[in-house]
Amino acid sequence: GGVVEHIYAKNIYMKDIAQEAIFFDMYYFVKFATDSPRDERPVVNEGTPIFRNMKFENIVCIGANKGIFVRGLPEMPIENIQMENLTLQSEIGAELIDAKGISIKNTVFNCEKTKPVISISNGLQLSFESIQYPNADLLFSIGGDRTQGIKLKNIDFSKTKNKAVF
């Protein structure tokens, strides 16, 4: 439990990451699928950690399953994470679930699966600026009845067949 905040990391180079390059998961306590069936019914109490107020910049990852994975809880989203100047070569671009105040700026998503490049479910006040990608079938997949306040700035949509699906 406790609060994890005010973390700043920069100038990181990663290669051949087995899973996610940047990873926040409030469901970390559930058993892995190989152990037994997952119990994905978390209970928020005083032992539930809080992740917020972090900044990551100048990060390069060459080879990962997912570039970015952020999954909070419906009752407690992961909050205020700034990511800037990223180059991510991965199978999947980014997945944001129950996230609030996430900012991704000056980022290159070079991902194999491009439908979508960025997936959002129940995201609040998310910001995407100067996002680059080689080509995409779908840039954004946006869902969840709590999703609101998504801002896009300086994004070239000419390389995608579909900007967004809601």
Side-chain angles (χ1 to χ4, degrees):
V3 178
V4 180
E5 66 181 342
H6 305 300
I7 305 290
Y8 176 71
K10 70 176 191 171
N11 301 331
I12 298 171
Y13 178 85
M14 298 176 265
K15 188 171 186 322
D16 300 329
I17 303 301
Q19 294 300 321
E20 298 87 358
I22 298 172
F23 177 75
F24 291 94
D25 192 1
M26 292 296 288
Y27 290 77
Y28 70 94
F29 56 85
V30 298
K31 293 183 177 183
F32 288 99
T34 56
D35 296 337
S36 64
R38 285 182 175 235
D39 179 5
E40 293 196 358
R41 296 169 290 145
V43 176
V44 176
N45 57 36
E46 65 279 349
T48 305
I50 298 170
F51 294 106
R52 66 180 181 210
N53 305 328
M54 300 181 195
K55 184 171 184 177
F56 302 93
E57 63 180 330
N58 304 332
I59 296 175
V60 174
C61 178
I62 306 301
N65 180 40
K66 286 184 187 171
I68 300 170
F69 183 76
V70 175
R71 179 169 60 171
L73 300 173
E75 304 87 353
M76 188 181 300
I78 292 176
E79 295 187 62
N80 302 326
I81 308 293
Q82 296 176 26
M83 295 175 246
E84 189 170 338
N85 302 326
L86 312 177
T87 300
L88 304 170
Q89 181 182 328
S90 57
E91 187 174 334
I92 298 167
E95 189 174 352
L96 308 174
I97 305 163
D98 290 313
K100 180 179 180 183
I102 306 297
S103 168
I104 300 175
K105 183 178 179 181
N106 296 330
T107 297
V108 176
F109 288 103
N110 187 2
C111 47
E112 295 172 26
K113 295 184 180 178
T114 62
K115 194 173 182 180
V117 173
I118 300 168
S119 174
I120 299 166
S121 179
N122 292 316
L124 301 158
Q125 288 84 48
L126 306 180
S127 171
F128 301 91
E129 182 177 346
S130 301
I131 302 298
Q132 297 177 42
Y133 53 96
N135 285 299
D137 292 319
L138 173 63
L139 189 53
F140 290 95
S141 172
I142 302 170
D145 57 356
R146 294 185 310 278
T147 295
Q148 62 182 345
I150 297 175
K151 296 179 183 178
L152 308 177
K153 185 176 178 183
N154 297 329
I155 298 176
D156 179 4
F157 292 107
S158 68
K159 297 178 185 175
T160 185
K161 293 178 185 173
N162 295 300
K163 296 175 189 175
V165 169
F166 298 89

